[in-house]
Amino acid sequence: MSTVTTRPIGLAITVSHAFGDAGAMVARELRRTVRSVDSLVTALVIPVSIMLVFVIVFGGAIEGNGDYINYVVPGTLVLCVGFVSASTAVAVAQDMTSGTIDRFKTLPIFAASPMIGHVVSSVIRNLATTAVVIGVALLLGFRPHADLGGWLAAVGFLVLAILGFTWISCAAGLALSVEAAGSVNFVFLFLPYLSSGFVPIDSMPDWLQGFARTQPFTPIIETARGLLSGTDVGGTGWSAVAWIVGFIVVGYAASVLLYRRTAR
């Protein structure tokens, strides 16, 4: 008499399998990162080079008392996490065009695990590159005044920003070709220049100040600057969180819709 083997069904088993599938996808993306050393080096070199140029070349002209590095580092950090997060758009687009996602859909895995793998691996990559940028900044004379609570708040805020930038990048990768997805990082590289990241907004032309004050990177950078300097972020912090949560909601919703459309 033949026996039929049944797969156990239950919430605990389902959650366990979902975590296992997501963990496998995170490991896959991290292996891809290790193999693509040039992309990781680029993600490190560009923010560090920008910081070196502004601090060493322009720093004395912008602010001669040596405090400019404390002003520019938060903007460089936000630029860094945006630039590294944008690489997710290329990775997702490559998976879409190479047929990798189609192969995943034929496997008995948690449906959202490929996107979760991209997002979580982006957080890990960003934290690694951010640590390097902060290390270089400290060597250049960066002296934050935040206490332990301020540092924890700053790290938590940056992680939230990474999630927002990465979900937007995931949606872009699902909608664009590989070549077009590569242009997403220029958005994250360019917009911080039109904010308070590198110079005070009051020093900008009058016609540019309105855009600089209302675009999302200004409150995000000002919040990071306030947390690292140990000052009260006030309403700017809530504005920054609102922008980032909006990015997460819009990016996640768009990713789900685009992923389901490709599934059909």
Side-chain angles (χ1 to χ4, degrees), residues 36-192:
S36 181
V37 179
D38 54 340
S39 299
L40 188 60
V41 170
T42 301
L44 284 171
V45 168
I46 289 181
V48 170
S49 299
I50 291 172
M51 183 172 60
L52 290 174
V53 168
F54 273 93
V55 172
I56 296 176
V57 179
F58 301 140
I62 297 174
E63 190 171 348
N65 58 8
D67 291 336
Y68 180 65
I69 188 170
N70 293 326
Y71 182 88
V72 77
V73 167
T76 305
L77 290 176
V78 174
L79 184 149
C80 175
V81 300
F83 186 80
V84 176
S85 298
S87 65
T88 305
V90 176
V92 172
Q94 288 175 340
D95 283 349
M96 294 297 296
T97 57
S98 65
T100 303
I101 295 295
D102 292 332
R103 290 194 293 272
F104 286 156
K105 292 171 183 175
T106 65
L107 300 175
I109 62 174
F110 180 48
S113 58
M115 292 299 104
I116 293 175
H118 282 291
V119 172
V120 175
S121 62
S122 174
V123 173
I124 296 173
R125 285 195 303 269
N126 267 290
L127 291 177
T129 54
T130 299
V132 173
V133 172
I134 292 177
V136 174
L138 291 172
L139 292 176
L140 291 174
F142 176 53
R143 295 298 179 263
H145 300 290
D147 54 14
L148 178 59
W151 273 103
L152 292 176
V155 171
F157 178 75
L158 287 176
V159 170
L160 188 67
I162 293 166
L163 291 173
F165 297 156
T166 302
W167 275 116
I168 291 291
S169 299
C170 280
L174 289 167
L176 302 174
S177 65
V178 176
E179 292 76 14
S183 64
V184 174
N185 57 15
F186 290 103
V187 176
F188 289 101
L189 190 63
F190 178 70
L191 281 180

Side-chain angles (χ1 to χ4, degrees), residues 193-209:
Y193 287 111
L194 303 180
S195 70
S196 61
F198 299 97
V199 294
I201 293 178
D202 293 337
S203 66
M204 297 179 180
D206 293 338
W207 56 268
L208 185 58
Q209 290 185 18

Side-chain angles (χ1 to χ4, degrees), residues 232-248:
D232 183 21
V233 296
T236 302
W238 291 111
S239 177
V241 170
W243 273 109
I244 295 172
V245 171
F247 289 156
I248 294 174

